[in-house]
Amino acid sequence: MSKAKTSEQVSSTTAPQTKPLLVAIDDGYAQTKLYGEGPDGKMITLKMRSSVRPGRHGLTALSGRGDVGSYTTEEGEKFTASEEIEAENTQFDTFHVSTMNRVLVTHALISAGYGGLDVDLVTGLPVDDYFIDSEKNNARIEAKRANLGKGVSSTNPTERPVASLKSITVNCQAVAAFVDYITGDDLEERADPTGKFAVVDIGGRTTDVAVIVNGESLDNSMSGTANIGVLDVYSAVNRAIGNRFDFHDRLPTNTIDAAVRTGKINLWGDDHDVTDLVKGVVLEQEGKIAREVERRLGSAASLNKVLFVGGGSALFKTIAEHFRNGHMAEDPEFSNARGMFKYARLFA
């Protein structure tokens, strides 16, 4: 996949648009993933922490070109979106229809090089938000569309213009991941959808389970959402490190994220190895999630496959081994975004 271009590069190297570019965004509680077509026909991918907080937070470009990642919503709220700040907690029920979410989507589009361009946006909702009483939750779907359709302006519009959203579509995240599994990049079927498949989407705040029958229907009795995910790992790692080094600070999320990824952390100017702490926490949380999935699926003997997707699946590398028919998706962090893009292409 090609690396995301900056908005300056895109605007200076591409001809005027003839049609909107299709872009899918998986706007999770912990990470925001983007998968879309670029002006040059190549695919663009972007992964960033869902790091945003209200107000201006003093991030100024050294070039003197203005604030970095500063935005104002149509309602007049001011936000800063950047991995360099300590974010506000995104773990609240209305996150997917919030101004905070809207700013993160805007920031992702600019960061991936879509500033100033026309975009057809595809995004998603967790299972329990997308469906209610065996039917689509049209009120929540429309609320998300309406929220994303409202304005967000950059405080530095010359250098960081926002994308123009020409259409907004909302899909079910876990169902999109199933589309990604059975459909290749050429949009041809690459796996037989016949039978019963469970998609386990481990995200930042939630773990979604969607049981799909013959690629056409959802088994509601086995599907649903549990409030456990990657951010629980971060909180537990923070506590474990604090206990070992005798402090009670809430460490910056990017510090904890680095510790989880590398097993190392810098405290008071010195590097420390916390590999054992991280492994212990990851195994504990992996077990909790596996048991939550088992409560819904049992042994999964009646299922063709239990497919693990999402950022949590990338972290819990052995979680698929808890089930005899468990399967880790290829590049699981992008399964939702890639699936939403494929779905939009298939049914355009």
Side-chain angles (χ1 to χ4, degrees):
M1 297 297 175
S2 61
K3 292 183 178 179
K5 299 182 178 72
T6 66
S7 56
E8 290 179 270
Q9 288 174 315
V10 171
S11 61
S12 64
T13 60
T14 58
Q17 279 187 269
T18 57
K19 64 176 183 177
L21 298 168
L22 179 62
V23 181
I25 294 182
D26 178 16
D27 46 347
Y29 297 95
Q31 288 183 330
T32 300
K33 282 84 63 180
L34 177 150
Y35 185 91
E37 57 184 351
D40 58 1
K42 296 180 180 179
M43 299 307 298
I44 293 174
T45 61
L46 172 77
K47 179 177 68 176
M48 67 180 196
R49 282 198 302 111
S50 297
S51 183
V52 62
R53 66 180 303 157
R56 299 273 188 267
H57 289 277
L59 291 171
T60 301
L62 294 179
S63 63
R65 293 179 177 180
D67 291 345
V68 176
S70 294
Y71 301 94
T72 303
T73 70
E74 184 178 296
E75 298 87 343
E77 293 181 81
K78 299 183 186 304
F79 287 92
T80 302
S82 171
E83 293 191 311
E84 301 306 316
I85 63 167
E86 184 54 22
E88 183 174 308
N89 191 338
T90 60
Q91 293 176 280
F92 56 96
D93 289 344
T94 58
F95 167 73
H96 284 286
V97 293
S98 67
T99 50
M100 181 182 289
N101 176 275
R102 192 195 319 159
V103 167
L104 280 168
V105 169
T106 300
H107 183 62
L109 287 166
I110 291 175
S111 299
Y114 292 99
L117 299 177
D118 294 340
V119 167
D120 285 333
L121 177 66
V122 187
T123 186
L125 283 168
V127 171
D128 275 2
D129 280 346
Y130 193 83
F131 294 102
I132 185 171
D133 295 331
S134 303
E135 305 222 349
K136 280 186 181 180
N137 187 345
N138 289 315
R140 180 50 66 97
I141 293 167
E142 183 52 38
K144 178 152 191 175
R145 287 187 67 257
N147 178 58
L148 291 173
K150 292 179 181 177
V152 175
S153 60
S154 167
T155 56
N156 190 5
T158 301
E159 297 295 333
R160 295 176 64 82
V162 300
S164 177
L165 302 185
K166 299 304 179 182
S167 69
I168 302 168
T169 305
V170 179
N171 291 328
C172 177
Q173 293 168 346
V175 173
F178 177 73
V179 172
D180 180 52
Y181 171 69
I182 65 169
T183 309
D185 290 339
D186 58 1
L187 303 184
E188 295 295 325
E189 189 176 285
R190 63 179 178 182
D192 185 358
T194 305
K196 209 168 185 178
F197 296 80
V199 179
V200 181
D201 179 10
I202 307 173
R205 180 195 183 195
T206 61
T207 295
D208 266 5
V209 179
V211 176
I212 300 166
V213 183
N214 295 324
E216 297 178 347
S217 57
L218 188 75
D219 184 338
N220 292 287
S221 67
M222 301 176 79
S223 303
T225 301
N227 284 321
I228 183 171
V230 173
L231 292 176
D232 295 293
V233 172
Y234 285 20
S235 296
V237 167
N238 196 139
R239 288 194 301 273
I241 291 173
N243 289 338
R244 172 170 289 185
F245 295 97
D246 193 25
F247 66 83
H248 301 287
D249 302 4
R250 183 183 174 215
L251 295 171
T253 302
N254 57 356
T255 300
I256 295 297
D257 179 66
V260 170
R261 287 186 292 102
T262 67
K264 301 188 185 312
I265 191 167
N266 187 282
L267 299 171
W268 304 289
D270 295 321
D271 290 331
H272 301 273
D273 191 323
V274 291
T275 303
D276 60 327
L277 290 181
V278 171
K279 282 185 176 179
V281 169
V282 169
L283 284 174
E284 179 182 350
Q285 296 298 321
E286 178 182 303
K288 287 182 179 180
I289 292 176
R291 288 189 292 275
E292 185 61 41
V293 174
E294 187 176 348
R295 289 184 188 103
R296 293 188 178 278
L297 305 181
S299 70
S302 64
L303 304 177
N304 294 49
K305 194 164 300 237
V306 180
L307 179 67
F308 286 87
V309 303
S313 293
L315 175 62
F316 304 121
K317 295 180 170 45
T318 61
I319 194 164
E321 297 172 13
H322 288 259
F323 296 88
R324 291 175 65 174
N325 50 356
H327 177 79
M328 184 68 69
E330 179 184 348
D331 197 6
E333 290 179 294
F334 280 93
S335 290
N336 289 342
R338 203 167 45 233
M340 288 187 283
F341 182 91
K342 292 176 182 178
Y343 187 92
R345 275 284 175 258
L346 284 167
F347 298 101

